[in-house]
Amino acid sequence: MTSNLIDPIVAIATAPGRGGIGVVRVSGPSLGPFIFSLLGKNLLPRHAHYLSFPDENNQPIDQGLAIFFKHPHSYTGEDVLELQGHGGPAVLQQLLKRCLTVGETYGMRLATPGEFTQRAFLNDKIDLAQAEAVADLIDASSEAAARAAVSSLSGEFSRRINTLSSSIVQLRMLVEATLDFPEEEIEFLEKYQARQKLNTMLSDLENIISQSRQGMVLREGLHVVLAGVPNVGKSSLLNALAGQDLAIVTDIAGTTRDKVSQIIHLHGVPITIIDTAGLRETTDTIESIGISRSWAEIANADVVLHLMDATQPNSQLDEKIELHRSRQSIVLQVFNKQDLACYLSIIPDQAIRISAKTGAGLDTLQSKLLEIAGWNPGQESPWLARQRHIDSLEQSRMHLLLAQDHAAENDRVLDLFAEELRLAHESLGQITGKMSPDDLLGEIFSRFCIGK
Ligand SMILES: Nc1nc2c(ncn2[C@@H]2O[C@H](COP(=O)(O)OP(=O)(O)OP(=O)(O)O)[C@@H](O)[C@H]2O)c(=O)[nH]1
Ligand SMILES: [Mg+2]
């Protein structure tokens, strides 16, 4: 957030590479004179003008549509110009360069990542949760995630937060007013049904938290690593889960040398599955590099599926996996090749039995992964959420619970009660950005792509 937020900015807004259409987008407080210098004419706001985009010698760089959005009726809340030309990298680069040359007089510069959206936020076109939803919509890898991101973008999540915030504010106003009249303090809680109001707020907040958790699962998904000794069927399992022949499968131990990963979607939840080189002692240089990578993946996993061959189960790797895995991760023992297994009685009851070959048990494994991800099959996911949203919601909940404690004491604690309400309100404000420190804003917008 160090860049000057008044300079006119320009960027290619469409993805790099070739495409039917490419868009260069400009935003600034007042673009009229720049547009005239660039295109040789003024543009009627919100009209699509079909024209040539001329270079410095008045030769066309491209022909296309120019649309001018006069502030405040634009994405950023400033004047915005969109030049929609052909989507070739050379054409778009020339157009970008031309904008920068013409715009030099007006202080125009390249936009930083997320700067258009950052301006939309700073000009009150959208709040912070909606701004994050813009990035989430672009990144959405499943239909369910995209739908939830659109819902956040349209303000569904923010509306729920704002409604709860206003209830807290109303109660705060009553409390603050009463604080000036100490003799009324004791009756206050009864008179205004403060306890009941607080209970309603808490149950509303708990509802929001549980829906947000679901939304976070949809956004973050799960990182699952397939680990085990060679030949237990890790690559076969990857292929079976992905429904494609991604990794090479042979009966030669040590077939997989490098990791192979694939994102699959279970109920819209993105699950990254990583197949790794079989873990064993080896003198082969390439294989041992592969095995070090396997251990590194195990250390990064949310879930380690420790695959074993059901016909010859052994626990030789249990301890080593325990040593390498991260503390928050979960290790599941999965016994593969159950279609062949003759000694099933030695497999622990709670272990998952599958056959990558026949597909048996894969539905149980998938349900288990969704359960670990925190997915609740019966619940809708009305918006996408991030860890920072959950943290703020939890903080707000903690303060409302403390307020509830003070209310229960009923003995001249109204100022403490008021303070907890204030803190609960403040935590909610961090979600929509009404009370967010600058460094958090910088962090959020810097993760956007340029042109958005
Ligand atoms: N019968 C049966 N054979 C299987 C099953 N899963 C894998 N196999 C066979 O087991 C052998 C090894 O399978 P892979 O998937 O290559 O094993 P891997 O664990 O990836 O082995 P490395 O890459 O060497 O670590 C192949 O011959 C597979 O066809 C299964 O569920 N049932
Ligand atoms: Mg393999």
Side-chain angles (χ1 to χ4, degrees):
M1 296 265 286
T2 48
S3 51
N4 188 336
L5 288 164
I6 293 176
D7 300 341
I9 50 170
V10 60
I12 298 172
T14 37
R18 296 162 67 233
I21 293 171
V23 177
V24 170
R25 177 146 67 169
V26 186
S27 178
S30 171
L31 291 182
F34 162 78
I35 292 174
F36 191 81
S37 313
L38 181 77
L39 302 172
K41 62 190 288 189
N42 292 317
L43 301 180
L44 212 56
R46 299 173 154 267
H47 276 69
H49 298 260
Y50 180 63
L51 37 72
S52 279
F53 306 142
D55 68 8
E56 64 277 18
N57 301 316
N58 220 14
Q59 297 301 308
I61 296 172
D62 192 6
Q63 286 190 320
L65 292 182
I67 308 178
F68 173 48
F69 300 90
K70 182 128 194 71
H71 79 274
H73 306 295
S74 70
Y75 180 66
T76 58
E78 301 179 321
D79 279 1
V80 168
L81 172 69
E82 275 190 22
L83 301 173
Q84 307 183 356
H86 294 94
V91 167
L92 289 175
Q93 281 301 333
Q94 277 185 74
L95 213 51
L96 178 69
K97 225 167 104 192
R98 182 71 191 138
C99 287
L100 283 169
T101 311
V102 173
E104 203 177 341
T105 332
Y106 311 99
M108 189 167 295
R109 61 173 170 78
L110 272 177
T112 57
E115 196 170 2
F116 289 93
T117 309
Q118 186 181 5
R119 288 184 181 202
F121 166 67
L122 293 172
N123 291 324
D124 274 337
K125 299 294 288 186
I126 50 177
D127 65 31
L128 196 53
Q130 288 173 298
E132 288 167 318
V134 173
D136 289 341
L137 182 57
I138 293 171
D139 289 342
S141 60
S142 72
E143 210 181 303
R147 263 202 310 272
V150 164
S151 161
S152 296
L153 181 56
S154 71
E156 182 60 26
F157 182 35
S158 310
R159 260 190 297 280
R160 287 291 296 276
I161 300 293
N162 291 337
T163 309
L164 181 59
S165 287
S166 359
S167 314
I168 298 179
V169 167
Q170 275 171 18
L171 191 57
R172 269 187 72 191
M173 274 162 31
L174 291 174
V175 187
E176 304 278 351
T178 312
L179 282 175
D180 295 335
F181 303 97
E183 67 282 2
E184 290 180 18
E185 278 191 23
I186 292 176
E187 297 149 39
F188 166 83
L189 296 168
E190 259 80 65
K191 191 165 152 197
Y192 294 107
Q193 297 179 310
R195 290 190 191 90
Q196 290 89 322
K197 282 183 178 146
L198 201 57
N199 288 344
T200 313
M201 285 174 210
L202 263 165
S203 88
D204 193 19
L205 181 56
E206 258 143 35
N207 214 321
I208 298 176
I209 292 177
S210 109
Q211 287 177 317
S212 301
R213 280 199 192 287
Q214 188 87 332
M216 191 171 80
V217 172
L218 205 52
R219 181 176 182 273
E220 318 258 310
L222 210 57
H223 219 72
V224 178
V225 169
L226 310 181
V229 297
N231 252 348
V232 290
K234 299 179 293 300
S235 303
S236 305
L237 178 57
L238 171 76
N239 293 349
L241 289 171
Q244 300 178 52
D245 242 350
L246 295 170
I248 301 171
V249 169
T250 74
D251 56 3
I252 304 164
T255 299
T256 304
R257 295 298 185 95
D258 208 346
K259 62 169 187 180
V260 182
S261 73
Q262 176 72 8
I263 298 178
I264 62 166
H265 289 99
L266 302 177
H267 292 258
V269 178
I271 312 258
T272 308
I273 311 273
I274 299 164
D275 177 28
T276 59
L279 302 163
R280 65 170 173 182
E281 295 298 324
T282 176
T283 49
D284 183 305
T285 315
I286 301 174
E287 192 181 359
S288 67
I289 294 172
I291 291 172
S292 327
R293 290 187 180 181
S294 302
W295 288 117
E297 289 301 330
I298 289 169
N300 271 327
D302 296 320
V303 178
V304 179
L305 295 187
H306 179 189
L307 237 68
M308 282 172 267
D309 186 329
T311 62
Q312 40 189 309
N314 78 66
S315 53
Q316 67 188 70
L317 281 177
D318 284 354
E319 258 179 48
K320 234 177 148 186
I321 290 179
E322 193 54 37
L323 219 67
H324 279 78
R325 75 178 181 95
S326 79
R327 275 202 304 134
Q328 317 84 288
S329 68
I330 290 178
V331 180
L332 293 181
Q333 293 198 326
V334 179
F335 290 85
N336 187 32
K337 307 192 189 183
Q338 74 148 4
D339 52 300
L340 294 180
C342 339
Y343 303 107
L344 285 176
S345 57
I346 53 170
I347 297 174
D349 280 349
Q350 73 280 12
I352 299 173
R353 299 155 195 224
I354 61 160
S355 167
K357 187 173 177 182
T358 65
L362 292 191
D363 46 352
T364 313
L365 178 62
Q366 290 172 343
S367 307
K368 186 77 194 165
L369 290 177
L370 281 174
E371 185 192 317
I372 293 172
W375 182 253
N376 179 349
Q379 189 175 27
E380 283 249 332
S381 176
W383 51 71
L384 281 200
R386 302 176 171 216
Q387 186 62 52
R388 80 164 194 96
H389 301 152
I390 308 280
D391 292 347
S392 297
L393 289 168
E394 288 288 4
Q395 245 172 41
S396 184
R397 180 169 172 272
M398 181 192 81
H399 290 301
L400 286 187
L401 285 172
L402 286 172
Q404 203 175 39
D405 286 350
H406 293 310
E409 284 173 31
N410 202 9
D411 184 21
R412 296 205 164 267
V413 286
L414 219 50
D415 47 350
L416 296 177
F417 180 78
E419 176 61 3
E420 294 304 339
L421 285 184
R422 187 185 71 75
L423 292 169
H425 179 220
E426 201 173 283
S427 303
L428 289 184
Q430 286 179 356
I431 295 174
T432 49
K434 290 191 176 129
M435 297 178 187
S436 294
D438 270 5
D439 50 353
L440 170 72
L441 299 181
E443 163 78 14
I444 288 171
F445 287 107
S446 66
R447 292 180 182 208
F448 276 61
C449 44
I450 291 182
K452 197 62 228 179

